[in-house]
């Protein structure tokens, strides 16, 4: 029996008073079994989206500092309510904001990274037998501003806390049973995986599947913190995330999953004079604005003029366009265009490194399904194709079949 676990409950697992009471019973069960437990919570249901929509009603472009402050309230509400529910069950419990939990971050208000955790307050609560419930997703900057860790960041709060507290395990409890070979809503044959590696989870996140916040897997791998993704509605074991070398042998060299992402915007800078430094000039302002750039394609230049295109989250499209346009103009580019009708389809698995034939299988499968590939990017264990958004379901199903992912 582990001595200490951190349990993080996602937004749909705490979306109502009844669900919060359900989570309280579950946490109480762990506590009563003699295992110390720290709860980490997301905002209830769609609160984070709703708060953003509300902000935009008063200002179409809210400043990051105030948006972070506004967003942080969602998780604070849940932590207070869950604590009250635990108290109603007769347990000593204490709700903590990110600030009270000692979570220090850098100054990117809405996409902050955790720098350090001063866990004294949590340690003290645990020492007196209380159950700390920490508001996920948030921390505070050196300037004492409230910061948040980027969408989905409560996972990172949980894993970082598990590491800081030297917990035996971090559990991520969701409205799904674990990590699947594809999104079951899109591919009905999708199957739950027993194991997956941190690296594969990270690549799945880059490919757009919301298994775990990428920073959470990165931290988990660095500190070898075992993470289990499981359902908050029943006790069945979910998917355990382990280091690649700890994967069961028979599962190692495979394609693990198909992922798709429709939150894709693309910007193309047409007719850029090809000279040293242009990529830097284009991407530096995006990096400074903490906009993640993904699939980057620069064409082979003709007569010293080239095109550069890249993808970003669709929600960053307007901002990125505005940052890129003056730079492009200054460079003498012909024009800047944007597209919001594309999607990414990816296959992920450590098997890719060993089997160059898998790339051909992917391209052949898409070709047979009559799906045009706009551009391709790869990592060692991922291949991503940009395709028309309307073809994404067909592509996911065809690839799931081609790689026999329904078979254990
Ligand atoms: N509530 C935040 C979001 O929806 C953080 C999280 O749930 O992890 O992005
Ligand atoms: Mg959420």
């Amino acid at each position: 029996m582990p001595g200490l676990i951190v349990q993080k409950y996602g937004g749909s697992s705490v979306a109502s008073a009844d669900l919060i009471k359900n989570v309280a019973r579950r946490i109480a069960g762990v506590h009563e079994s003699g295992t110390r437990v720290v709860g980490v919570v997301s905002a209830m249901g769609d609160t984070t989206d709703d708060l953003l929509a509300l902000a935009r009603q008063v200002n179409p472009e809210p400043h990051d500092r105030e948006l972070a402050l506004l967003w942080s309230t969602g998780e604070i509400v849940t932590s207070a309510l869950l604590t009250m529910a635990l108290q109603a069950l007769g347990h000593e419990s204490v709700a903590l904001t990110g600030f009270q939990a000692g979570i220090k971050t850098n100054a990117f208000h809405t996409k902050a990274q955790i720098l350090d955790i001063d866990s004294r307050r949590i340690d003290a609560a645990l020492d007196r037998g209380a159950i700390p419930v920490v508001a996920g997703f948030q921390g505070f900057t050196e300037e004492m501003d409230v910061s948040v860790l980027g969408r989905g960041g409560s996972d990172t709060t949980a894993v970082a806390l598990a590491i800081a507290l030297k917990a035996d395990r971090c559990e991520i409890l969701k409205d799904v049973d674990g990590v699947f070979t594809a999104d079951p809503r899109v591919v009905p044959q999708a199957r739950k995986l027993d194991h997956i590696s941190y690296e594969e989870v990270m690549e799945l996140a880059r490919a757009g599947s919301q298994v775990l916040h990428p920073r959470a897997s990165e931290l988990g791998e660095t500190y070898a913190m075992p993470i289990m993704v499981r359902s908050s509605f029943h006790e069945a074991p979910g998917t355990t995330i382990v280091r690649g070398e700890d994967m069961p042998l028979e599962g190692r060299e495979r394609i693990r999953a198909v992922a798709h992402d429709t939150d894709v915007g693309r910007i193309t800078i047409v007719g850029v004079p090809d000279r040293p430094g242009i990529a830097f000039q284009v991407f530096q302002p995006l990096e400074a604005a903490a906009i993640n750039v993904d699939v980057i394609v620069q064409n082979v230049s003709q007569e010293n003029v080239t095109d550069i295109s890249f993808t970003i989250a669709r929600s960053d499209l307007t901002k990125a366009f505005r940052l890129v346009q003056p730079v492009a103009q200054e460079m003498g580019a012909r024009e800047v265009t944007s597209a919001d009708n594309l999607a990414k389809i990816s296959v992920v698995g450590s098997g890719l490194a060993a089997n160059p034939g898998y790339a051909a299988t992917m391209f052949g499968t898409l070709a047979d399904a009559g799906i045009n590939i706009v551009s391709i990017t790869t990592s060692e264990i991922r291949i991503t194709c940009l395709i028309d958004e309307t073809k994404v379901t067909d592509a996911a199903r065809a690839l799931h079949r081609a790689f026999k992912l329904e078979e254990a």
Side-chain angles (χ1 to χ4, degrees):
M1 187 180 55
L4 173 64
I5 68 174
V6 173
Q7 285 197 325
K8 179 256 169 178
Y9 290 87
S12 40
S13 301
V14 292
S16 68
D18 279 337
L19 287 166
I20 287 175
K21 287 201 264 183
N22 169 60
V23 167
R25 278 190 295 272
R26 184 145 183 177
I27 291 184
V30 176
H31 181 78
E32 284 157 16
S33 77
T35 298
R36 291 179 304 155
V37 54
V38 175
V40 175
V41 287
S42 284
M44 294 171 70
D46 296 328
T47 301
T48 308
D49 291 326
D50 296 345
L51 288 171
L52 178 61
L54 189 59
R56 287 194 173 137
Q57 280 179 47
V58 296
N59 182 339
E61 288 172 65
H63 288 194
D64 282 349
R65 181 181 178 278
E66 280 64 37
L67 182 57
L69 182 63
L70 182 71
W71 264 344
S72 71
T73 62
E75 273 71 11
I76 295 174
V77 167
T78 319
S79 68
L81 290 171
L82 178 54
T83 298
M84 291 172 191
L86 281 160
Q87 290 161 346
L89 294 175
H91 290 287
E92 198 188 329
S93 176
V94 55
L96 299 168
T97 67
F99 174 73
Q100 291 171 316
I103 299 173
K104 296 185 188 130
T105 74
N106 65 15
F108 283 109
H109 288 97
T110 56
K111 290 180 181 173
Q113 289 207 335
I114 297 177
L115 300 176
D116 186 30
I117 298 181
D118 176 352
S119 66
R120 269 176 293 184
R121 194 93 193 252
I122 298 177
D123 291 330
L126 288 170
D127 285 347
R128 61 169 197 275
I131 304 170
V133 178
V134 179
F137 182 46
Q138 57 187 273
F140 67 104
T141 71
E142 207 181 337
E143 307 268 89
M144 296 289 205
D145 282 339
V146 171
S147 53
V148 293
L149 310 179
R151 297 306 305 270
S154 296
D155 293 342
T156 299
T157 305
V159 174
L161 273 177
I163 292 162
L165 299 168
K166 301 194 169 51
D168 296 275
R169 176 167 88 227
C170 182
E171 294 187 352
I172 306 289
L173 295 100
K174 302 164 72 98
D175 60 352
V176 293
D177 292 352
V179 183
F180 280 71
T181 52
D183 183 339
R185 290 166 302 188
V186 172
V187 183
Q189 291 78 19
R191 185 172 54 80
K192 190 191 86 187
L193 294 161
D194 293 328
H195 294 91
I196 189 165
S197 72
Y198 297 105
E199 204 190 359
E200 288 168 335
V201 167
M202 251 178 278
E203 291 291 356
L204 279 177
R206 286 192 191 112
S209 98
Q210 261 118 53
V211 174
L212 195 69
H213 197 238
R215 184 79 187 127
S217 356
E218 213 175 293
L219 281 175
E221 175 162 50
T222 306
Y223 294 91
M225 172 56 62
I227 301 172
M228 186 193 272
V229 178
R230 64 193 304 187
S231 167
S232 63
F233 303 126
H234 57 75
E235 298 279 345
T239 304
T240 304
I241 309 174
V242 295
R243 286 188 164 168
E245 59 266 34
D246 298 329
M247 285 288 290
L249 263 183
E250 77 279 10
R252 277 192 200 174
E253 304 275 284
R254 286 197 63 167
I255 296 295
R256 197 78 53 211
V258 172
H260 70 277
D261 187 2
T262 52
D263 182 17
V264 177
R266 185 173 65 149
I267 290 184
T268 306
I269 309 172
V270 186
V272 189
D274 195 1
R275 55 163 192 264
I278 52 167
F280 176 74
Q281 279 174 38
V282 170
F283 294 117
Q284 204 276 330
L286 297 173
E287 206 211 306
I291 294 176
N292 279 329
V293 174
D294 190 24
V295 183
I296 302 175
V297 179
Q298 178 173 348
N299 292 347
V300 176
S301 72
Q302 296 193 347
E303 288 152 18
N304 285 325
V305 173
T306 186
D307 300 338
I308 299 179
S309 79
F310 56 90
T311 63
I312 48 181
R314 215 168 273 177
S315 50
D316 283 335
L317 197 54
T318 317
K319 194 170 180 182
F321 194 86
R322 192 146 3 85
L323 287 168
V324 165
Q325 193 144 46
V327 177
Q329 218 161 30
E330 199 179 306
M331 292 185 314
R334 192 141 38 105
E335 64 172 331
V336 183
T337 62
S338 68
D340 60 3
N341 60 344
L342 297 168
K344 289 189 286 182
I345 185 82
S346 308
V347 297
V348 170
S350 52
L352 277 170
N355 299 285
Y358 286 162
T361 305
M362 178 170 192
F363 305 146
T365 304
L366 293 176
D368 289 346
I371 297 167
N372 182 46
I373 300 172
V374 177
S375 54
I376 302 167
T377 47
T378 62
S379 79
E380 211 165 302
I381 62 162
R382 171 172 58 94
I383 305 175
T384 297
C385 296
L386 212 54
I387 61 173
D388 190 299
E389 183 177 2
T390 59
K391 298 287 168 62
V392 82
T393 301
D394 289 348
R397 290 179 184 168
L399 290 169
H400 199 270
R401 225 176 301 120
F403 286 103
K404 299 188 170 54
L405 293 180
E406 68 283 355
E407 293 167 22

